[in-house]
Amino acid sequence: MPHENQANSKRRIAIVTGGSRGLGRNTVVSLAGRGVDVILTYHSNKAEAESAVAEIEALGAAAVAIQLDTGNTASFDAFVADVRQALTGLGRTDFDYLVNNAGTSHHASIAETTEEDFDGLVNVHLKGVFFLTQKLLPVMADGGRIINLSSGLARFSIPGSSAYAAMKGAIEVFTRYLAKELGPRRITANTVAPGAIMTDFSGGVVRDNPVVNKMVSDMTALGRPGVADDIGPMIASLLSDDNRWVNGQRIEVSGGALL
Ligand SMILES: NC(=O)c1ccc[n+]([C@@H]2O[C@H](COP(=O)([O-])OP(=O)(O)OC[C@H]3O[C@@H](n4cnc5c(N)ncnc54)[C@H](OP(=O)(O)O)[C@@H]3O)[C@@H](O)[C@H]2O)c1
């Protein structure tokens, strides 16, 4: 029986927000290694986006980088127009996979979290993901896949992460609703929840601060913090047909944090 969304041999196309650095970068390179073409977005660092495109092209896949602030819903119609144009260049009118990955960190106690910071987190981590997905759904092929990035912090509680973690918890609920509502289009939706990973996230604190690095190692069954290579290939695998029946799930990818 042919796979439901891969009954023909056309090349797949993924849109990955924040694909220029960190986990998104590792994801787009992993996808390229599997023969998937990529539209990646960046926010402020165009040079990193261009170097990601070059890395993907060296692997024999096609890549287009588009600037996007996922916290600015007013820019989404123009972004979708850019996506349609990029798809034309890639010889398609639709795309297959959406990875809502872009995000920024926030650390403050509940007492010290400002309304401004909270609104900024809502815009990037919740409202932006909700409405970007809404706007892109008409361009997504039936049988496509959506992955939203959450965090281990939505399951366990580490003081100073309440606002950020609350956004990620909301994304996990939203993802289940996506899976339910998009079932008739054979589109799957899942959440990937990384543990602490050594990227530039949070100012690179997990990577660069020995105290934090040891704390994460001590709370992880596999005895170290994650690296981007622990996440990107997993996301690429989850998008592949091997995982076509995984739907509406939260999958934690943390090396066994706080079990
Ligand atoms: N690293 C961790 O420990 C960890 C753990 C759990 C979950 N996560 C989640 O994983 C995702 C990726 O994290 P990461 O570690 O890869 O972060 P990162 O290394 O800091 O990279 C962030 C990426 O998102 C983009 N970005 C930031 N703000 C944006 C905005 N307002 N609009 C559009 N793009 C924006 C950045 O683009 P520019 O460089 O152009 O600004 C960059 O490509 C996030 O959703 C994060 O919450 C991370």
Side-chain angles (χ1 to χ4, degrees):
M1 177 184 153
H3 289 164
E4 286 195 14
N5 73 333
Q6 298 185 341
N8 61 46
S9 59
K10 73 182 176 190
R11 285 179 73 87
R12 303 289 139 183
I13 298 176
I15 297 178
V16 180
T17 66
S20 53
R21 292 193 294 111
L23 306 186
R25 170 74 164 259
N26 198 285
T27 297
V28 295
V29 170
S30 298
L31 285 166
R34 289 167 172 254
V36 176
D37 295 329
V38 170
I39 297 172
L40 64 95
T41 78
Y42 65 99
H43 180 214
S44 52
N45 194 334
K46 190 175 182 187
E48 279 298 309
E50 286 171 348
S51 106
V53 167
E55 192 175 353
I56 290 165
E57 288 175 345
L59 290 167
V64 178
I66 302 176
Q67 196 277 338
L68 173 70
D69 178 355
T70 56
N72 179 13
T73 52
S75 70
F76 288 0
D77 285 334
F79 173 70
V80 173
D82 288 345
V83 165
R84 287 188 187 275
Q85 194 176 14
L87 289 171
T88 303
L90 295 169
R92 293 271 303 271
T93 55
D94 54 13
F95 72 98
D96 306 287
Y97 311 136
L98 172 61
V99 182
N100 284 305
N101 161 79
T104 46
S105 65
H106 177 260
H107 290 279
S109 67
I110 294 168
E112 289 168 342
T113 296
T114 66
E115 203 171 328
E116 189 184 3
D117 285 351
F118 188 93
D119 288 345
L121 287 166
V122 169
N123 288 340
V124 170
H125 284 283
L126 179 54
K127 187 177 173 186
V129 173
F130 190 104
F131 287 102
L132 188 65
T133 305
Q134 179 198 72
K135 298 269 182 191
L136 285 171
L137 275 172
V139 198
M140 178 178 263
D142 287 356
R145 306 200 194 292
I146 299 169
I147 292 178
N148 294 327
L149 270 287
S150 178
S151 167
L153 291 165
R155 174 176 65 84
F156 49 79
S157 309
I158 295 184
S161 301
S162 61
Y164 169 82
M167 305 305 148
K168 293 301 198 184
I171 280 304
E172 295 183 6
V173 175
F174 173 53
T175 305
R176 285 199 297 277
Y177 274 83
L178 279 173
K180 189 77 175 175
E181 288 196 18
L182 299 178
R185 289 184 57 191
R186 295 178 291 104
I187 293 172
T188 66
N190 292 288
T191 305
V192 167
I197 313 291
M198 294 189 281
T199 66
D200 296 336
F201 201 68
S202 300
V205 68
V206 178
R207 180 189 57 215
D208 301 334
N209 182 319
V211 175
V212 175
N213 192 292
K214 180 168 188 316
M215 183 194 85
V216 173
S217 301
D218 290 346
M219 70 186 206
T220 302
L222 292 179
R224 62 166 174 82
V227 293
D229 252 343
D230 294 321
I231 306 298
M234 181 275 172
I235 293 175
S237 160
L238 186 56
L239 290 170
S240 80
D241 229 35
D242 289 349
N243 287 299
R244 65 183 184 176
W245 206 239
V246 181
N247 194 19
Q249 302 304 303
R250 173 199 194 264
I251 303 165
E252 194 166 304
V253 191
S254 66
L258 291 171
L259 295 176

